[in-house]
Amino acid sequence: MSAPPVVDLPIEDERLAQDVANGLAAVEKLLRSSVESEDAFVTEASKHLIEAGGKRFRTLMVLLAAQFGDPSAPGVVPGAVVIELTHLGSLYHDDVMDEAPVRRGSPSANARWDNTVAILTGDYLFAQASDILADLGPELIRIQAQTFSRLVQGQIRETIGPRNGEDPIAHYLSVLSDKTGSLIAASGRFGALLSGAPADVEERLSRACEAIGVAWQLGDDLLDVASSGAQSGKTPGTDLKEGIKTLPVLYALAAGDNPRLTELLSGPVPEEHLEEALTLLRAHPAMDKARAELVAWVDRARADIAGLPGIPAKDAFLALCDYVVERSG
């Protein structure tokens, strides 16, 4: 019989499922204690998104990758917390840029307090991540710095948009690799390095995790159009309202076969036209094209995972690939 689902992922091997469950609990404990401050308000603001929940997807990647070495190595849990704090800090900043009122089904920090509090709280989480990272050694510090550089550059390039003559779709996918894929690639690399996995395994895990990360974001883009707020934990159409041209939007604009949809998607969609835009885009072939691109990225991940040692964590990564596809609808 299968072990209970972990992070919505049914892990068939019961020992692996228990190892991952124990690791998730240890990460959660350290994650909460790492943001404690002498200032009660700083602690409250820092725990806001932690207590809102989340699948701890990146933590799962660290823990699964660590199975290819010694998963009980002392740096694995702190490494996962570094990744999770970095991710959470970026969410506080993202919600300010997106003016999103909801995150993970709860009011975002900028909605509950204001933009300044949200930005500074994100900065605080980055600082706490750096403090933990300092004990993990210079190689991990360098990987984190390179990852953070890619994440920020991806966000800047998304904000500025493609250069004149640059293919918007190619630009968008490269942005996703940097903005989202880089931190998930680092999750796999952290797990492998901190557990002492072989170098070739580390490289495969890093590439596979980056591809899964891009696919995951493409899934989020699809959910922003296709899901209800209760399903995704965020306000549907947030990207459309911000005028962010995600892959379904780019495909629809490239097709140019629905003048009304093209008009609506040419800039930020006003609230009064949002439902119309969502309805038209949900019915457009652009959604199927975007799903096909997601599947192609998952297939890249599967190709690298295929070369990993045949342990239960390999099967779990393959199941994770299936999950990334299934969650997108």
Side-chain angles (χ1 to χ4, degrees):
M1 186 173 69
S2 298
V6 177
V7 198
D8 289 343
L9 178 68
I11 297 178
E12 297 295 329
D13 185 87
E14 292 188 10
R15 181 173 179 179
L16 174 59
Q18 191 59 57
D19 280 353
V20 170
N22 291 342
L24 286 166
V27 169
E28 198 69 18
K29 182 178 179 180
L30 181 57
L31 180 63
R32 290 170 180 270
S33 66
S34 70
V35 300
E36 293 280 352
S37 167
E38 293 180 359
D39 188 306
F41 180 79
V42 172
T43 300
E44 180 187 5
S46 299
K47 287 187 174 180
H48 179 65
L49 286 186
I50 295 174
E51 293 175 349
K55 292 182 172 62
R56 303 293 186 254
F57 177 74
R58 290 154 188 81
T59 294
L60 175 64
M61 302 292 264
V62 175
L63 297 175
L64 287 179
Q67 291 289 322
F68 293 90
D70 175 9
S72 64
V76 171
V77 168
V81 172
V82 168
I83 294 289
E84 200 64 44
L85 285 171
T86 303
H87 173 57
L88 287 168
S90 74
L91 295 185
Y92 281 85
H93 290 183
D94 280 351
D95 286 342
V96 171
M97 290 184 286
D98 294 343
E99 298 180 7
V102 176
R103 168 70 69 174
R104 295 176 173 175
S106 300
S108 60
N110 47 296
R112 180 173 174 180
W113 294 292
D114 58 32
N115 285 347
T116 300
V117 169
I119 292 168
L120 292 173
T121 302
D123 292 344
Y124 174 72
L125 296 186
F126 294 144
Q128 297 306 98
S130 297
D131 187 43
I132 296 171
L133 190 62
D135 291 329
L136 300 180
E139 186 172 9
L140 275 296
I141 293 172
R142 183 176 296 107
I143 292 168
Q144 173 76 348
Q146 292 170 345
T147 298
F148 200 64
S149 175
R150 287 186 63 192
L151 191 158
V152 172
Q153 289 183 71
Q155 183 66 67
I156 291 171
R157 283 171 37 238
E158 179 187 63
T159 302
I160 294 173
R163 299 185 184 91
N164 289 335
E166 184 178 5
D167 176 20
I169 292 172
H171 170 268
Y172 183 70
L173 292 173
S174 71
V175 164
L176 294 194
S177 291
D178 286 342
K179 180 185 169 185
T180 300
S182 62
L183 188 57
I184 300 182
S187 303
R189 194 178 290 280
F190 267 42
L193 268 172
L194 290 166
S195 68
D200 63 318
V201 169
E202 176 195 332
E203 292 303 322
R204 282 187 177 276
L205 285 168
S206 179
R207 290 193 302 264
C209 288
E210 178 154 344
I212 290 171
V214 174
W216 183 272
Q217 183 59 55
L218 291 175
D220 277 353
D221 292 349
L222 288 163
L223 286 171
D224 186 66
V225 176
S227 75
S228 66
Q231 180 184 353
S232 64
K234 62 183 286 190
T235 305
T238 296
D239 292 334
L240 296 184
K241 288 192 292 184
E242 288 301 306
I244 297 172
K245 291 180 171 57
T246 58
L247 196 60
V249 172
L250 291 171
Y251 278 138
L253 289 173
D257 54 0
N258 186 319
R260 177 56 178 163
L261 182 58
T262 298
E263 178 186 1
L264 288 169
L265 299 181
S266 61
V269 179
E271 184 70 40
E272 61 268 24
H273 297 308
L274 183 60
E275 194 56 44
E276 180 187 5
L278 286 169
T279 299
L280 291 173
L281 188 53
R282 285 165 181 163
H284 197 278
M287 294 293 284
D288 287 335
K289 288 194 71 175
R291 287 192 183 94
E293 182 66 29
L294 180 156
V295 170
W297 282 92
V298 169
D299 286 344
R300 293 187 194 184
R302 286 193 179 107
D304 266 312
I305 293 166
L308 293 173
I311 63 174
K314 175 182 179 178
D315 295 331
F317 268 113
L318 291 172
L320 182 56
C321 288
D322 294 337
Y323 172 70
V324 172
V325 174
E326 290 164 4
R327 73 182 281 270
S328 72

